[in-house]
Amino acid sequence: MLFRGLLMVFPLPQLAAELRAGLAPVLPLLQGLPDAERKKRLAQALGLSLSATTLTAEALLARFAFPDAAPPGDLWPVLVGMLRAAVRQASPDWTLTITDVLSATPTTVTPLGATVPDTIDLRFALPDSLPLVPGLAVRDGVSLVLTLPAAQPEATAALTFRADGLELRLTDNELLKLLVPDGLALKGNVAARLDKDGLRVGGGGSGKGIALPVDRAPAALRAPSVNLSSSDGGLRLTTFFRASLLGFGDAAVEGTGLDVRPAGDGFTATPAAPTGIRLTLDLGPVKGGGILGEQGGEYRGALSFSVGVVDVRAFGILRPSPPSVLIALSAEFTPPVELGLAFTLNAVGGLLGIGRALDRVALAEVVQAGHLDDLLFPADPAAAAPRILTTLGAVFPERAGNTVVGPMFRVGWGRPVSFVTADVGVVLELPSGVVAILGRLRVALPAPQAPVLDLRASIAGVVDAANGLVEINTSLAGSRLLTSSVEGGLALRVKTGQDATFILSAGGFHPRYTPLQNFPTPKRLSIPISDSPLLKIVFSGYFALTPGTVQAGAELSAVIGSRSTGVSGRLSFDALVRWEPSFGVVLDLGGSFALRFADETLCSVGLRVHMEGPTPCWYIAGRASVSFLFLDVSFPFDERWNCTRQVEAPPPPDVCRALEGALDDPRSWEPVLPDGARTMVSLRADDMAAGRLLHPLGRPRFSQHIVPLGTPVVRFGPGRLPQPTTFDVKVTFPGGTGAEQPVKEDFARADFFDLTDDEKLTQPAFEELRSGSELSPPAAAAIARSYTVPVEYETKWLGGEAPTPKPSWQITDVALNAALAHGAVGRSLVHALRSRYAVPPPAPVLKPREYMIAHAGTLKAETTFAGTSTFTEATALLRTVTGRSGNLQVVPAYEVRP
């Protein structure tokens, strides 16, 4: 390796002149001086200082090693700096010899001559072992030799440097101990030379790194090598070696080593984990290989091997701290295992993750991207290993205390090969109990090797029973018909409880609909009817169901020739369907036709239509346009007319009767345990015929799903009420009303309020409204009736001959009251703490949902109105505004600007 600073002057001739000028007057005087004075005079002659303490190994290295002989950031200045820091801390023995002139040690200076020879041969040596940083040391000494002739020093002056036995030792890495039980220990030599051609460090490479020659290594290693490089003002030592893996394979390890960084007046060292491990297995019938690499503090690897007719593939992610592991394993059978009726078992597998959880959003994105096979049985695991490991890490991220586990299998059907295959995986997340169902179906006709129809459907479903959530995502990514791709997807979300909703979408949504956050909008269903260079016909469409809306749309486009020269046309529609108060459709139609030549439109026809009906009337509006050469004509239209088959609204519903039925329904009543109760009474199983059982300190709860209570409603399902009506239920106890706490349930707003089609698309579909009450009985009155129950005891004889049975006896009230304080209950900690049966409920952690009225232009809150807990309440407040309600709107509180 050769490098030099472009602005630097060759320093050795100047050093030769300075040494001659310094040594010539001092040498004749050294013989008659004491050792302390000799050290001072020698330091002065060498160009150090007049201080006796400057004749040290560090000072000599700074004088003769020329740390500035290479640009900053190169390898040589860092090596010299590490040696200087090491000798400063260790104070090792050293020798300085100038041939025929003198010799010096840390304690003595011995003159050998009184004149300076024509050529100064100076040798500085550290003969002992010198620790540099933990894990790195020079074991066989450091030597520095200067040759400084008097004649032509620019041509022949030279400095040579050697550090013999530079040892790298790593003993604490558990992974390396599997390969090298006694720890990794490699020794090599570092050599450098400075002359008129510049500074050269042995080992090749560039100014920032060399390949260190290795002369000693453990016998278990094969082809070891060490790379020494500068990095951010420090050093990095990386290794490569091969070793046996537990006797049944071979491992090639690269990247492990040591990072040395400046720290104060010295250096610190940090062991570097392997950046890559390549594995090769060869154990009788088991043959294969894999890779293991380090990325972001974790190890990621892939392994593939064959065991007879079984091909095994494994992918793993290991993070040492915080500890987590994720392993996906699959085994494919060649030929498949016959199950009968043309069914075969093609593969089995499983997934295990400790300290890992399921990310539902990432799983949906994987399905929409068409990469679900990365989680099941990948077709080309060797080529796709980096993407597969990335997908696994994204879908199953780290989460302390969680575990994911589940089996996988592949079943085929068909003869002579399986042209229908189904991959199924069931993954359980613990302790949450969330279940993910992964599936992939492929139909390849007439054969998978050369299919005319290749239909691939990826399905991922999540069932979260604790939160009342079911999600299903499907994608047709990768499907083909002849040479044309077929795309599309389906997404379903059903949720109960808070934020209840129901959404089903096949191919997307109406253009004016805004999906829920984190809901994966599926790709449009796209089918190429013709896909030749001169004729392209594509059909695409969507269908969606939400609470209160049915959405559908489709488009048919055709191109004859090309879009620059040819004929193109399209037809499309987007529809919203409603049923209440009667059936109706909101339909947007569009169509166009164009004839183009050389990117110029010769003629075109366009049509846009918006239509609503049939009730309460038909309404149609739109525009038709025709363009021919330089002539453009358009025809707007806007018409309304009565519907001849208008459907009348159904009779008003009897909500009171339905509400009375809910009151009589035992399922509307539920006993509630006291908050934080330490149960001292066990209730037997409920018997509807005998009534519901209530804890002595508990509360009854009434809740129904018929109609919101305490809120004005204008409709009930498909029927309309004669006028806005508020329904409520009052429950009392024989001894008084007691305390009442509202209970809320989710209600579909479109079933109880008049909403436009736009409001159905943009406003919350479900909302928590009051459905009943949780009742606390009134305090017992002082004159409440008391009941006396006799306390009876019976005597049993244990052991020996039983005496004559005695009749049961009763304890008096006085004796019972006196004994209560000394019983197990009276002496318990619960009784002593006076917390007996119940503790206050914990304070809520999450902030309650809130809606506010804000200015439409600035989203700043209207200060005259307070926030409300529901969208419905905020809407009712907004209706009270007159004259400027159009400038205000209801928004979630987190969207309001300060």
Side-chain angles (χ1 to χ4, degrees):
M1 175 185 66
L2 172 64
F3 52 91
R4 69 170 69 189
L6 296 179
L7 300 179
M8 299 189 65
V9 179
F10 182 41
L12 294 186
Q14 181 181 354
L15 176 63
E18 292 174 354
L19 288 180
R20 289 183 183 280
L23 289 172
V26 172
L27 289 179
L29 305 176
L30 289 180
Q31 189 67 36
L33 297 176
D35 284 340
E37 187 65 23
R38 288 178 183 178
K39 291 175 63 177
K40 280 187 177 183
R41 292 297 183 92
L42 180 57
Q44 180 183 9
L46 296 178
L48 301 180
S49 74
L50 295 178
S51 173
T53 60
T54 57
L55 194 60
T56 61
E58 181 186 4
L60 293 170
L61 280 172
R63 175 62 169 157
F64 299 126
F66 294 102
D68 297 331
D74 280 350
L75 185 62
W76 178 251
V78 183
L79 282 173
V80 176
M82 285 188 62
L83 285 172
R84 292 177 60 183
V87 298
R88 184 190 314 127
Q89 298 174 2
S91 299
D93 288 337
W94 53 267
T95 60
L96 174 66
T97 302
I98 302 178
T99 304
D100 298 331
V101 175
L102 59 84
S103 66
T105 67
T107 58
T108 63
V109 176
T110 304
L112 299 177
T115 61
V116 181
D118 292 338
T119 300
I120 299 177
D121 290 322
L122 183 149
R123 178 184 178 85
F124 172 75
L126 300 170
D128 299 332
S129 177
L130 179 65
L132 301 178
V133 291
L136 185 65
V138 178
R139 295 301 183 190
D140 301 326
V142 174
S143 63
L144 185 150
V145 178
L146 279 166
T147 302
L148 304 172
Q152 297 181 343
E154 293 84 356
T156 56
L159 176 146
T160 59
F161 169 87
R162 285 187 62 84
D164 294 324
L166 184 65
E167 181 185 67
L168 172 66
R169 179 178 291 274
L170 300 174
T171 58
D172 296 334
N173 191 292
E174 298 296 331
L175 184 60
L176 291 179
K177 287 182 179 180
L178 294 177
L179 305 172
V180 192
D182 296 331
L184 180 66
L186 300 174
K187 282 186 179 181
N189 302 317
V190 176
R193 179 180 175 85
L194 176 66
D195 56 22
K196 64 181 181 63
D197 296 323
L199 181 64
R200 297 181 297 277
V201 180
S206 66
K208 297 186 180 298
I210 63 171
L212 188 69
V214 176
D215 54 15
R216 276 175 287 182
L221 303 187
R222 301 190 302 277
S225 65
V226 178
N227 182 269
L228 181 64
S229 60
S230 63
S231 174
D232 298 330
L235 292 180
R236 181 174 176 85
L237 291 94
T238 57
T239 66
F240 173 84
F241 61 87
R242 303 183 70 92
S244 174
L245 179 61
L246 302 178
F248 61 81
D250 187 79
V253 182
E254 61 182 349
T256 187
L258 207 63
D259 275 321
V260 182
R261 292 286 178 268
D265 295 334
F267 290 81
T268 60
T270 304
T275 57
I277 299 178
R278 295 191 296 273
L279 306 175
T280 303
L281 301 180
D282 189 358
L283 185 63
V286 181
K287 299 182 183 298
I291 59 171
L292 179 64
E294 191 271 340
Q295 179 181 345
E298 65 184 15
Y299 295 96
R300 297 187 172 194
L303 180 66
S304 176
F305 59 90
S306 300
V307 185
V309 298
V310 181
D311 294 328
V312 180
R313 297 162 180 169
F315 299 88
I317 301 176
L318 169 65
R319 180 177 287 274
S321 180
S324 68
V325 63
L326 178 63
I327 298 175
L329 184 69
S330 64
E332 297 189 12
F333 305 109
T334 307
V337 178
E338 295 288 342
L339 301 178
L341 299 177
F343 285 96
T344 58
L345 179 62
N346 298 19
V348 296
L351 183 139
L352 172 65
I354 300 175
R356 296 276 174 166
L358 173 67
D359 189 323
R360 295 193 290 263
V361 176
L363 177 60
E365 291 176 352
V366 167
V367 173
Q368 298 297 335
H371 294 320
L372 186 62
D373 53 344
D374 291 347
L375 304 179
L376 293 169
F377 301 96
D380 191 359
R387 190 192 71 218
I388 294 172
L389 291 168
T390 300
T391 301
L392 282 170
V395 177
F396 302 103
E398 299 173 60
R399 188 178 300 167
N402 279 43
T403 300
V404 290
V405 62
M408 299 183 294
F409 57 88
R410 170 179 287 178
V411 175
W413 183 81
R415 287 288 185 271
V417 294
S418 299
F419 52 83
V420 178
T421 56
D423 300 340
V424 179
V426 180
V427 179
L428 174 64
E429 180 189 75
L430 299 173
S432 66
V434 176
V435 178
I437 302 175
L438 314 178
R440 187 178 60 174
L441 175 67
R442 183 187 183 191
V443 179
L445 297 174
Q449 292 76 14
V452 175
L453 172 64
D454 192 354
L455 179 63
R456 304 175 184 227
S458 299
I459 304 171
V462 174
V463 180
D464 187 353
N467 295 313
L469 175 67
V470 176
E471 290 183 339
I472 297 177
N473 297 285
T474 304
S475 174
L476 296 177
S479 300
R480 303 191 69 83
L481 176 61
L482 295 176
T483 60
S484 303
S485 62
V486 179
E487 295 184 348
L490 180 144
L492 170 68
R493 175 180 292 181
V494 180
K495 189 177 186 307
T496 60
Q498 187 177 8
D499 298 329
T501 189
F502 172 86
I503 300 179
L504 171 65
S505 172
F509 295 97
H510 192 279
R512 289 186 291 170
Y513 180 75
T514 301
L516 292 178
Q517 186 178 8
N518 294 330
F519 186 85
T521 302
K523 292 183 179 179
R524 281 284 195 267
L525 179 62
S526 177
I527 302 176
I529 300 174
S530 176
D531 192 13
S532 65
L534 297 179
L535 178 61
K536 296 182 181 296
I537 303 176
V538 179
F539 172 82
S540 62
Y542 68 90
F543 178 81
L545 287 175
T546 67
T549 70
V550 176
Q551 309 169 33
E555 179 180 274
L556 180 66
S557 62
V559 177
I560 302 174
S562 66
R563 294 193 179 273
S564 61
T565 301
V567 178
S568 62
R570 59 176 290 274
L571 293 174
S572 67
F573 78 90
D574 295 287
L576 286 175
V577 182
R578 65 171 185 267
W579 284 273
E580 71 281 351
S582 59
F583 176 78
V585 177
V586 178
L587 184 64
D588 292 289
L589 299 172
S592 64
F593 167 85
L595 174 62
R596 297 176 61 84
F597 179 78
D599 288 329
E600 295 293 336
T601 302
L602 302 182
C603 67
S604 65
V605 177
L607 177 66
R608 290 180 299 162
V609 178
H610 175 78
M611 183 174 62
E612 296 182 16
T615 58
C617 66
W618 283 105
Y619 170 69
I620 186 170
R623 178 180 294 272
S625 61
V626 177
S627 176
F628 182 75
L629 296 178
F630 305 105
L631 179 64
D632 294 325
V633 180
S634 62
F635 307 94
F637 51 91
D638 189 333
E639 297 292 339
R640 298 175 183 269
W641 65 95
N642 292 332
C643 178
T644 56
R645 296 181 298 169
Q646 183 170 348
V647 180
E648 295 182 356
D654 191 348
V655 183
C656 291
R657 182 179 295 274
L659 196 54
E660 290 174 356
L663 281 168
D664 295 334
D665 190 345
R667 292 173 297 181
S668 301
W669 297 87
E670 179 184 3
V672 180
L673 289 174
D675 296 327
R678 299 188 181 189
T679 305
M680 301 184 66
V681 175
S682 297
L683 303 179
R684 63 180 173 83
D686 288 348
D687 185 354
M688 291 296 185
R692 307 295 294 270
L693 298 177
L694 182 65
H695 189 280
L697 299 179
R699 304 181 298 275
R701 173 187 291 170
F702 167 72
S703 181
Q704 47 78 38
H705 297 82
I706 303 299
V707 65
L709 301 180
T711 300
V713 297
V714 298
R715 61 186 317 107
F716 184 74
R720 174 174 292 279
L721 301 178
Q723 60 184 2
T725 306
T726 301
F727 297 90
D728 213 333
V729 173
K730 190 69 173 178
V731 181
T732 60
F733 295 93
T737 58
E740 182 178 357
Q741 183 178 352
V743 176
K744 294 184 177 182
E745 298 285 352
D746 285 296
F747 290 91
R749 299 182 70 252
D751 287 342
F752 305 100
F753 310 105
D754 280 335
L755 302 178
T756 65
D757 293 324
D758 285 339
E759 289 173 338
K760 292 178 182 178
L761 292 171
T762 57
Q763 293 183 4
F766 286 85
E767 194 160 42
E768 281 193 344
L769 300 173
R770 190 163 73 87
S771 61
S773 303
E774 191 173 290
L775 308 167
S776 297
I783 59 173
R785 180 184 300 178
S786 61
Y787 296 88
T788 301
V789 178
V791 180
E792 296 184 351
Y793 292 83
E794 62 179 357
T795 303
K796 291 187 178 180
W797 184 265
L798 302 178
E801 184 178 356
T804 304
K806 296 181 179 180
S808 300
W809 58 279
Q810 296 183 1
I811 186 171
T812 64
D813 293 346
V814 176
L816 177 62
N817 291 331
L820 286 177
H822 305 285
V825 174
R827 291 183 289 108
S828 70
L829 182 61
V830 173
H831 184 275
L833 295 176
R834 315 299 294 177
S835 61
R836 305 206 177 183
Y837 311 115
V839 295
V845 177
L846 299 177
K847 292 183 178 180
R849 176 168 296 178
E850 188 178 18
Y851 291 90
M852 301 186 70
I853 297 177
H855 293 270
T858 62
L859 282 184
K860 291 188 175 182
E862 172 58 44
T863 57
T864 57
F865 296 99
T868 63
S869 59
T870 65
F871 186 91
T872 301
E873 293 171 345
T875 303
L877 285 177
L878 183 60
R879 284 197 293 265
T880 64
V881 180
T882 58
R884 55 190 181 95
S885 60
N887 299 325
L888 302 175
Q889 62 178 343
V890 177
V891 296
Y894 63 81
E895 293 186 5
V896 175
R897 294 181 179 178

